[in-house]
Amino acid sequence: MASAVAAVAVFLFVQWDSWLATVARYALLPWGAVAAVCWALVIVREAVAILQAISVMTGVARSTLGLTVLAAGCGISGLVSVSAFACKGFHNFAVAAIFSVPLINVLVGLGCGVIAVCATDFPDSVSFAPDDELFIGAVSLLGVSAAALAAVTLRRMLLGRPLGTLLLIAYVVFLLFVALMQAGVLPSLS
């Protein structure tokens, strides 16, 4: 709220070509980032609540919804940014983002999540029992990432349609496998 008041004050009382306007813009810039993070947090909390309600109503495991719906929703921004980099000719950026974003998600996301859960349950220890779908998701991520990294490295960073097609097919197979396990057509791993 304070950033909105400051932005309106700058808009109304400062001439846009003055040095004060430039200083005010740079001073308000961090508040825009903070506001964007806060809105994202609110939207994510609501999305998680909706997915939990869908899980309860349909009987679909939470991990299955996380591996499919939530992952697709989170991955759209990465798809757009990587596609934009690739279309503009910044192929190194695109490939680096493809491998670094999941790494950051696993390390930072899991790290922050564990710290937050441990902080709320302190001094008790926290137990975690992954289900079959989550185990398959982790193994699939490791396997496909290793195979893609090997293929990219062996081809000396020459990417083509066959690699893209194989990666999309691997994702569809993964989704089908998880859906068939959830439906009870395939037996449980445990």
Side-chain angles (χ1 to χ4, degrees):
M1 186 65 172
S3 62
V5 171
V8 169
V10 168
F11 180 75
L12 293 176
F13 300 113
V14 177
Q15 294 179 359
W16 287 107
D17 57 349
S18 70
W19 66 271
L20 186 58
T22 304
V23 170
R25 278 189 230 122
Y26 285 117
L28 291 175
L29 189 64
W31 291 106
V34 168
V37 168
C38 290
W39 276 109
L41 184 60
V42 168
I43 291 169
V44 166
R45 284 185 178 174
E46 292 303 317
V48 168
I50 290 169
L51 287 176
Q52 286 179 339
I54 291 171
S55 173
V56 169
M57 289 187 294
T58 62
V60 176
R62 291 179 183 170
S63 59
T64 301
L65 290 174
L67 286 169
T68 55
V69 177
L70 189 61
C74 293
I76 288 173
S77 62
L79 174 66
V80 170
S81 63
V82 167
S83 298
F85 281 132
C87 289
K88 292 289 185 180
F90 300 117
H91 307 291
N92 288 342
F93 284 132
V95 172
I98 288 168
F99 289 109
S100 64
V101 169
L103 183 66
I104 289 172
N105 285 339
V106 169
L107 298 178
V108 176
L110 189 59
C112 290
V114 168
I115 289 172
V117 168
C118 289
T120 58
D121 291 345
F122 184 78
D124 297 332
S125 61
V126 177
S127 64
F128 176 71
D131 56 6
D132 294 339
E133 289 86 359
L134 194 57
F135 177 75
I136 290 170
V139 170
S140 298
L141 175 66
L142 288 174
V144 170
S145 295
L149 186 59
V152 168
T153 304
L154 290 175
R155 295 197 54 184
R156 292 191 170 100
M157 297 302 205
L158 293 173
L159 306 176
R161 285 192 179 127
L163 177 62
T165 304
L166 286 174
L167 291 173
L168 289 175
I169 289 171
Y171 184 67
V172 169
V173 167
F174 161 73
L175 288 178
L176 288 173
F177 192 72
V178 169
L180 291 174
M181 280 189 65
Q182 185 65 41
V185 175
L186 293 178
S188 175
L189 296 177
S190 53

